[in-house]
Each structure stands twice: as C-alpha cells, then as structure tokens.
Amino acid sequence: MYDEVLLLKLGEVVLKGLNRRRLEDLLVKNVRTALRGCGPVEVRESQSTVFVEFDQENPDVDAAVQAAKKVFGVLNLCRAYRGSYDWETLKRQTADYVAPQLNRAKTFKVDARRSDKKYPLDTPKICMLMGEHLLNEFPHLTVDVKNPQVVVTIEIRDGNAYVHTAPEKAAGGLPAGTGGHGMLMLSGGIDSPVAGYVMAKRGLKLSAVHFESPPYTSERAKEKVLTLAKKMSVYTGPVHLWIVPFTQIQEEIRDRCREDLFTVIMRRVMLKIACKLAREQNAGCIITGESLGQVASQTLGAIQCTDEAADLPVFRPFIGTDKQEIVDIARDIDTYDTSILPYEDCCTVFTPKHPKTNPKLEEVLKEEAKLDLDALTKDLAFEFIRVKPWDN
Ligand code: ATP
Ligand code: MG
C-alpha cells in the first residue's frame, strides 16, 4: 500500500443524526465512483473521515485529489502521509514529508489530534516535541501559534499516525442520491447544466431529458448536450440521459396553434413528457434552469401556464438568480465554454416574432386542445444514453 493517503472530511453529513449511516455509505460509494479513473484505490469511512488509500506504487495522487474534491458531501480534503506509530520514526518521516513547504516558509506551528487514547503522548506533548524537532531540522523557522504560514497536523487514529498540512476546500453539499432522484430538463444553454449541478449538490441523483428537433437542430447540437452532461457528471455522478425526438410535435404546434402562444405551448408539452418520463424512472421532481424575466417564456404569467402542465414539483433553483451569477458557476464547473457554442436548440426553432409575454391559461388550454397530444406523445422513440464522467 502506498504511504500517501487522502483524508476527506465530511460536511453537513455529520449533522444528519439517524440518517447518518446511510449518508456516509452513499458518500463512500460516490467517492469510489469518482475515483474510478485513478487506478486501484480503497475507500472507507471511519469517525467522520473518508480514507482513500492507494493500492499501487506511484499512483497519480494529484488526479485523485482533483476528482475527490468534486464529490458532494466532502467539505475539505487533506493529502496526508501515513507515518509510523513509533514516535522517533514519525518525527523523521514528518520532517521529510513537510520539508518542501517548510523550506519555503518562515513561520509554522504543529497541531495534533488524538482519537487513539492509548498513544503514549498526549496532544500538547505531540505538539511540543514535534515542534522542537522541526525547529532543529529547519533552523530558519520560528513558531507562530496565532498566524503561522504552515500548520503541520499530526492525527493519531486507528493505529496510525497521519501527517498533513492545510486542508483544501472541496465541493461541500450533501452526497448525490441522499435527497432522492430528479429529472433535469437539459438544453444546450448555460443555465440548465448549472441547475442540475446545484440540485445534485443538495443531494439529488440526476437523470436528464433533452428535446431535439432534427433536421432543424443538428447532430452537433446533440453532441454539445452530451458534452455538457458529461462535464456535469464529473460532479453529479453518472447521468441517464434521454433524447426525445420533438420535431413532429413542434411542427404540429406551429401548424395548428396561435403563433404568439407557440413557445408556452411547446414548453407545456415538454414538461408533460418530462413528468411522464420522470414517473417511469421513479424520479420525484423536474429541474429546469429558468430564471424570472430572463426571456419571454420565463415571465410570471408564462411560468404559471407552464407549471400547470406538471404533475410533479418543478424545481427552478435559479428563479431569483442573476445571469452573471449563473455564468460564474458555469465557468467554475467548466460547462460555460461548451454552453456558448453556437448550435441551434429546439427552443429557438419556429420562435414567434411576437411571443405573448403574459399568456392566460384559458387561452393557452384552448389552443393546446387543437393538438392530439395523446397520439403525438404515445410512441416517441426516445434515445437512451448512459453518461459517465470517466468515459472518453
Ligand atoms: P438554458 O440556458 O438552460 O438553455 P435558456 O435561458 O436558454 O436556458 P429557455 O430556452 O427558455 O431558457 O429554457 C428554459 C429551460 O427549459 C432550460 O433551462 C431547460 O431546463 C429547459 N429546456 C429548454 N430547452 C430544452 C431542450 N431542448 N431540452 C430539454 N430542456 C430544455
Ligand atoms: Mg435554452
């Protein structure tokens, strides 16, 4: 076993009382999934910390750190050295392991935690003796307990001694899957992949549905959605994606319904199909990237008309969020550059010149009744794709 390990510290998970065991089990499973591309590893939980141990010589620890940092439910992460239980050996190992950081620093302090009460030294003793040793080894250093440049932490637990410096911030949130299962309406735009990301961060497992309208929308538009789903899945875990052929439905709406209501009727039909699919897949809610007032279909009136078509709760995490804030997250999670590629989305096909910005439900229902929705939605040939973060 390699002598470097990762210690993942849990966030809100530890507060969840009775459910804690289940949340921790899911988190361990999600960490294993996230590290699939990082070679053989062992992942286990003990005392509110998830341990990642490497089962090979010279593993790519950097890659594992990057992947583990993205797992929801992990508050922060330490790259640590598993040192000896023997104090004299541990002193030597600690000085070696933290040498690169201490060589660059002027001040430091030692911090210690000991859950193993059988260890011969208590925490003040560990801090004092290790501090002395490091001062001897690195005479240019001084101790600063208030504001040190480097904190060397020694954790004695489970019959091992772990050495690390400052933890790195990780994704936070709750483990994906602990809050149920949601169906994301995924367009090729900026907002919907980010909406999926933030809801997965609150513990939802994600499936996704995308509507396409070939030949009005291209193969490249679909590729773009697959790329977005994949980038999102790096955080959310694998995503089941359904692609729904929407051309005929859109043409029927265009041919039969009032032009100014085209968009709201189209969105209602999308939502109905999404709800039906969600129920079949045991998902309990729909997620969209809508934001109040962003476009004509996202006025209060339009949202009232759209919502009426749903028989599941519709989560719109960005309803009160400015575009720029959504863009900032999209950049952080690396979906932005893909989202702005200029391929047609089915929403921009047949858009009316003057969409009604405050449609009334009554008139919308009257127009929608001109469609034979049962026949139109009965035998849709969905395409199903499993999107996994580790596939090329
Ligand atoms: P986005 O940036 O997410 O595309 P948008 O600002 O372009 O959003 P709309 O086109 O009105 O806004 O779409 C609003 C929401 O409807 C999207 O966030 C998404 O959840 C859903 N949606 C739109 N188009 C599609 C599609 N082709 N397939 C699946 N869902 C869609
Ligand atoms: Mg869109």
Side-chain angles (χ1 to χ4, degrees):
M1 196 91 67
Y2 192 64
D3 44 18
E4 232 180 350
V5 300
L6 306 186
L7 307 182
L8 316 186
K9 306 286 175 166
L10 312 192
E12 274 183 67
V13 177
V14 296
L15 303 175
K16 298 289 166 185
L18 282 181
N19 274 329
R20 181 169 156 174
R21 188 72 261 153
R22 193 174 69 87
L23 298 194
E24 286 169 350
D25 287 349
L26 248 170
L27 182 65
V28 166
K29 181 172 158 265
N30 293 350
V31 171
R32 270 193 203 117
T33 307
L35 296 181
R36 269 186 61 151
C38 303
V41 293
E42 257 168 55
V43 183
R44 64 183 170 86
E45 193 273 340
S46 162
Q47 297 169 333
S48 304
T49 301
V50 171
F51 288 75
V52 176
E53 297 169 318
F54 299 92
D55 262 345
Q56 67 183 59
E57 274 311 305
N58 301 317
D60 190 347
V61 183
D62 285 331
V65 167
Q66 289 315 315
K69 268 165 84 170
K70 296 184 172 112
V71 178
F72 294 132
V74 179
L75 189 65
N76 60 47
L77 171 157
C78 299
R79 191 175 170 153
Y81 183 82
R82 190 192 2 236
S84 170
Y85 218 56
D86 172 66
W87 178 249
E88 287 308 315
T89 316
L90 181 65
K91 282 198 316 197
R92 211 178 51 246
Q93 290 170 326
T94 302
D96 285 347
Y97 187 62
V98 295
Q101 277 134 299
L102 292 186
N103 279 332
R104 275 185 271 120
K106 291 199 175 75
T107 60
F108 83 109
K109 78 166 182 179
V110 178
D111 213 356
R113 265 164 249 160
R114 187 184 68 146
S115 57
D116 234 337
K117 301 298 175 204
K118 286 194 250 63
Y119 199 69
L121 303 174
D122 63 10
T123 47
K125 261 273 160 60
I126 294 174
C127 293
M128 192 182 81
L129 295 176
M130 189 61 82
E132 264 174 29
H133 179 67
L134 294 176
L135 278 173
N136 278 338
E137 295 291 311
F138 303 90
H140 69 285
L141 287 176
T142 51
V143 173
D144 180 345
V145 285
K146 281 226 175 77
N147 204 6
Q149 289 171 323
V150 177
V151 179
V152 177
T153 302
I154 312 286
E155 292 191 40
I156 310 282
R157 56 196 299 165
D158 304 333
N160 283 299
Y162 297 92
V163 181
H164 59 81
T165 54
E168 296 180 52
K169 192 168 174 285
L174 292 166
T178 52
H181 176 192
M183 181 64 68
L184 170 68
M185 295 179 66
L186 181 61
S187 72
I190 295 168
D191 308 329
S192 48
V194 188
Y197 163 84
V198 300
M199 291 316 302
K201 184 167 176 176
R202 289 314 300 165
L204 284 183
K205 177 181 110 170
L206 291 190
S207 291
V209 56
H210 175 71
F211 296 85
E212 64 163 3
S213 293
Y216 305 107
T217 60
S218 64
E219 194 56 32
R220 298 222 313 229
K222 180 160 132 189
E223 288 301 320
K224 172 181 168 181
V225 170
L226 281 176
T227 307
L228 285 175
K230 188 171 166 182
K231 289 190 165 186
M232 194 180 69
S233 76
V234 170
Y235 294 87
T236 66
V239 173
H240 289 181
L241 171 66
W242 281 267
I243 311 265
V244 183
F246 205 51
T247 316
Q248 195 197 354
I249 294 172
Q250 283 194 297
E251 286 174 343
E252 286 282 315
I253 302 173
R254 177 196 62 188
D255 295 344
R256 289 175 193 274
C257 304
R258 257 169 57 187
E259 192 199 345
D260 62 340
L261 296 178
F262 173 87
T263 309
V264 64
I265 294 173
M266 176 188 74
R267 300 199 51 77
R268 282 175 54 88
V269 179
M270 279 185 173
L271 198 53
K272 284 185 182 186
I273 296 171
C275 283
K276 184 158 175 268
L277 177 64
R279 287 188 177 281
E280 285 165 11
Q281 299 305 317
N282 287 319
C285 66
I286 304 293
I287 302 157
T288 82
E290 287 160 306
S291 173
L292 189 65
Q294 198 184 81
V295 286
S297 61
Q298 297 177 25
T299 62
L300 178 55
I303 289 177
Q304 280 180 318
C305 290
T306 316
D307 228 30
E308 198 273 343
D311 59 3
L312 284 174
V314 181
F315 290 172
R316 299 179 172 91
F318 296 137
I319 197 67
T321 308
D322 285 355
K323 189 77 183 184
Q324 189 54 49
E325 295 169 53
I326 306 172
V327 165
D328 290 344
I329 308 176
R331 286 192 202 274
D332 278 350
I333 65 170
D334 190 35
T335 51
Y336 182 77
D337 289 343
T338 308
S339 288
I340 59 172
L341 293 173
Y343 309 128
E344 283 292 294
D345 182 76
C346 78
C347 279
T348 51
V349 177
F350 314 138
T351 33
K353 278 196 209 69
H354 303 289
K356 188 129 194 202
T357 45
N358 260 311
K360 300 278 168 295
L361 183 60
E362 244 167 66
E363 57 181 358
V364 172
L365 292 178
K366 194 171 134 218
E367 284 302 300
E368 196 178 279
K370 296 175 182 169
L371 302 169
D372 186 351
L373 274 185
D374 284 343
L376 280 172
T377 56
K378 198 163 135 248
D379 292 317
L380 288 172
F382 289 24
E383 184 184 347
F384 172 66
I385 301 166
R386 270 179 231 275
V387 182
K388 304 181 202 115
W390 55 83
D391 281 350
N392 286 318

